[in-house]
Amino acid sequence: MFDRIKALKHRWQDLKQIAQLDQRDLDDLGMTRDQIEAFVRMPQDVPDRVVAMAQIFGLTEAQVRADHDRYHELLHTCGQCKDRKNCGKVLERGALAQPADAEFCLNKSSFTAGLI
């Protein structure tokens, strides 16, 4: 319980810092304020989940991260997922998991398109 409270406190501090960023800071980061706030609010395991799910579809981490904007879209989509339980079950299967096991994945179309 203490760890959750500590994490919430850090997240709140991060959001305060984001609110103080000026347009130049945002331009340097290449993200909008809303994108940064969404990134801070998403579950911490989302980047790992995106890469692991992409690997099930035959993609490498380098391919997933190659296009900065597309990568942020994948993270945002994954962060909005309401099917984390099924996702976790598929990811637990590791190398045995197949794309057909992930019909629920909101990023499936991007993964099957090879992110091109």
Side-chain angles (χ1 to χ4, degrees):
M1 179 68 163
F2 179 71
D3 288 337
R4 267 183 61 82
I5 292 170
K6 190 175 176 181
L8 287 171
K9 180 181 174 189
H10 287 291
R11 191 170 288 174
W12 180 75
Q13 290 170 339
D14 289 343
L15 291 170
K16 278 182 55 178
Q17 289 178 339
I18 293 167
Q20 295 172 354
L21 295 174
D22 61 23
Q23 190 58 46
R24 184 175 177 188
D25 294 328
L26 296 171
D27 291 343
D28 287 346
L29 292 169
M31 296 172 72
T32 67
R33 188 177 316 279
D34 289 341
Q35 287 174 322
I36 297 169
E37 288 175 353
F39 185 75
V40 167
R41 287 187 175 111
M42 79 175 58
Q44 292 179 342
D45 66 344
V46 167
D48 293 334
R49 282 178 179 259
V50 167
V51 170
M53 188 62 76
Q55 289 172 340
I56 291 170
F57 285 86
L59 301 170
T60 66
E61 183 173 354
Q63 288 173 301
V64 172
R65 293 176 179 259
D67 181 328
H68 183 75
D69 291 334
R70 176 67 61 108
Y71 178 61
H72 283 277
E73 288 175 23
L74 293 170
L75 293 175
H76 176 74
T77 300
C78 183
Q80 303 301 311
C81 183
K82 304 297 182 214
D83 214 348
R84 289 176 55 86
K85 185 175 181 178
N86 281 336
C87 180
K89 288 178 182 179
V90 170
L91 296 179
E92 283 177 9
R93 295 187 69 207
L96 298 176
Q98 299 295 314
D101 299 332
E103 290 295 321
F104 61 86
C105 182
L106 299 175
N107 282 321
K108 178 185 173 192
S109 61
S110 293
F111 295 148
T112 56
L115 301 175
I116 298 171

